Amino acid sequence: MKQILAEILTIGDEILYGQIIDTNAQWISAELDQLGVRVVRKTTVGDQREAILTAFAEAEKRADMVIITGGLGPTNDDLTMPMLAEYFNSEIVLNESVLNHVKNFFERRGRQFTELNKRQALVPKVAQVLHNELGTAPGTWYERNGKVFVSLPGVPHEMKNLMKQLVLPKLSRHFQTPVIYHKLIKTVGIGESFLADIIKDWEANLPEHISLAYLPSVGQVKLRLTAVGENKQQLVEEVGQQVERLLPLAGEFIYGYDETSLEEAVGQLLKTKSKTIALAESCSGGYAQHKLTTVAGSSNYFQGGVVPYHNQFKMQILGVRQETLEAYGAVSEACVKEMAEGVRKLFNADIGAASSGIAGPGGGTDEKPIGTVWIAFADGEKTITKKLQLTQNRLLNIELTEIAILNLVRKSLNQ
């Protein structure tokens, strides 16, 4: 079965200037992927005639379908409709159906209908109009030489409604598409190159219709398996078999699949083992606590936490000994152990976890440079510590520390 290719074209100076973030292209990509369509390029152009016409021509060469958003307003700088008319050698006509809709749209809201608003009803004669029930700018559909162009408003909720109600069903009828199935395998605690090395033989033996992509992010690496075929259930089973073969190689680093976040995985593990947790965070400023409590139902396992930023509160609240701070300092294995043990007792939790470090950009020394962080896990029977040597970036260090704390909890609970 032929793979159907798509290009997403966003029109608007405001996107190029960074005044508006283009969330439409990402959403459209995900929807087309579910349809079995492969997006080969996303292009953004400004409100200039030559740029738009060139983008149309280049997209038509590359793709079977071109999805366009933006540039459909009634003002002179909105060029999408006249450029589509020029590109498809069509005159622009007043569409009575769109005109009536626009008039009613304004009347229902008690607003005056003007000659400027009337321009929303001017569409290329060759276009099939896609009725926009949530706004005044209509969508349009064009066909030529087996290719399809679709123009949609840039307003996200209008675009999404048109896509769901009209465009996606129409595309699925027009094109015969293969089934595409994705499986995300989420890992933590291992870098991309190290992960690639330990699974290289498994990767080399993947079936031809199943491909692997590495998707690194802060502190984590996602593996995306993509299977292409005609039977979804068969693809799901085949990908599942590949995941089972991966587990003996990288299972210790895998915390979840698809939409599961690290905090959700840790929370589920705590619930499964009927354990509660409390946290004491110094350099990470309570960020791990924040992440844990974004999960619905976290009150079942999260007891509470503190952010003892200054040493006096490490002593007063958590019972860290003054001798420990004088001998080793706050950024030390000894201090973070006492913090984890202290917060566990303070909140009567099964587990205590803690962090203490130098987030930066100041405060570093030759002995303890910026990015030096200690974390700890305590459960009343054992206390596990780990030293991190992170970056020069404060916000990145906070996020990496949060990930490391949650991963330490995950690994310790799995031992």
Side-chain angles (χ1 to χ4, degrees), residues 139-371:
T140 49
W141 173 290
Y142 310 80
E143 296 179 22
R144 184 169 70 183
N145 300 326
K147 306 291 182 81
V148 169
F149 276 61
V150 179
S151 173
L152 299 168
V155 180
H157 75 276
E158 295 180 25
M159 178 277 295
K160 291 178 181 179
N161 186 66
L162 270 170
M163 280 288 289
K164 289 179 178 178
Q165 299 299 322
L166 299 177
V167 177
L168 291 172
K170 194 172 174 67
L171 287 172
S172 66
R173 291 191 299 268
H174 187 86
F175 293 101
Q176 186 177 6
T177 59
V179 175
I180 299 178
Y181 173 68
H182 297 295
K183 183 72 175 178
L184 282 179
I185 305 161
K186 297 189 170 182
T187 73
V188 64
I190 185 170
E192 180 182 9
S193 60
F194 293 100
L195 180 60
D197 186 58
I198 67 173
I199 67 173
K200 61 180 182 296
D201 292 336
W202 169 81
E203 180 181 359
N205 288 290
L206 286 171
E208 188 174 325
H209 66 288
I210 299 178
S211 61
L212 175 68
Y214 293 83
L215 309 174
S217 58
V218 176
Q220 303 184 43
V221 180
K222 293 190 286 287
L223 301 174
R224 186 189 66 215
L225 285 173
T226 299
V228 180
E230 298 183 15
N231 185 305
K232 183 175 181 178
Q233 186 57 42
Q234 180 179 339
L235 296 180
V236 171
E237 292 174 2
E238 290 177 340
V239 168
Q241 292 167 3
Q242 294 302 323
V243 173
E244 289 298 318
R245 292 170 185 158
L246 177 66
L247 289 176
L249 304 173
E252 65 177 294
F253 305 107
I254 296 172
Y255 70 80
Y257 302 92
D258 299 323
E259 300 304 315
T260 301
S261 65
L262 180 57
E263 53 269 23
E264 288 172 331
V266 171
Q268 185 58 51
L269 194 56
L270 287 164
K271 284 202 297 184
T272 299
K273 293 182 176 292
S274 299
K275 300 292 185 181
T276 56
I277 190 170
L279 281 83
E281 298 177 76
S282 184
C283 66
S284 48
Y287 193 48
Q289 299 169 54
H290 161 69
K291 296 295 282 188
L292 276 177
T293 55
T294 60
V295 181
S298 56
S299 58
N300 291 319
Y301 47 83
F302 181 68
Q303 296 287 79
V306 293
V307 183
Y309 222 60
H310 292 278
N311 286 350
Q312 69 181 89
F313 299 109
K314 291 180 177 71
M315 294 186 290
Q316 291 176 10
I317 298 174
L318 299 176
V320 175
R321 296 175 302 159
Q322 184 172 347
E323 308 91 86
T324 299
L325 293 171
E326 290 176 350
Y328 305 103
V331 183
S332 66
E333 181 179 28
C335 177
V336 82
K337 283 177 67 175
E338 293 183 17
M339 289 173 64
E341 292 161 356
V343 78
R344 185 183 71 83
K345 295 174 183 176
L346 179 66
F347 286 95
N348 192 30
D350 298 306
I351 296 163
S355 71
S356 185
I358 304 168
T365 65
D366 291 340
E367 182 184 358
K368 299 176 183 179
I370 295 167

Side-chain angles (χ1 to χ4, degrees), residues 337-400:
K337 283 177 67 175
E338 293 183 17
M339 289 173 64
E341 292 161 356
V343 78
R344 185 183 71 83
K345 295 174 183 176
L346 179 66
F347 286 95
N348 192 30
D350 298 306
I351 296 163
S355 71
S356 185
I358 304 168
T365 65
D366 291 340
E367 182 184 358
K368 299 176 183 179
I370 295 167
T372 302
V373 176
W374 279 95
I375 59 174
F377 167 98
D379 63 5
E381 296 181 359
K382 61 184 180 298
T383 300
I384 302 170
T385 61
K386 183 175 183 179
K387 183 181 181 180
L388 311 173
Q389 199 60 60
L390 304 178
T391 75
Q392 298 291 304
N393 184 292
R394 181 180 185 83
L395 295 181
L396 182 56
N397 288 340
I398 290 172
E399 186 173 359
L400 287 170

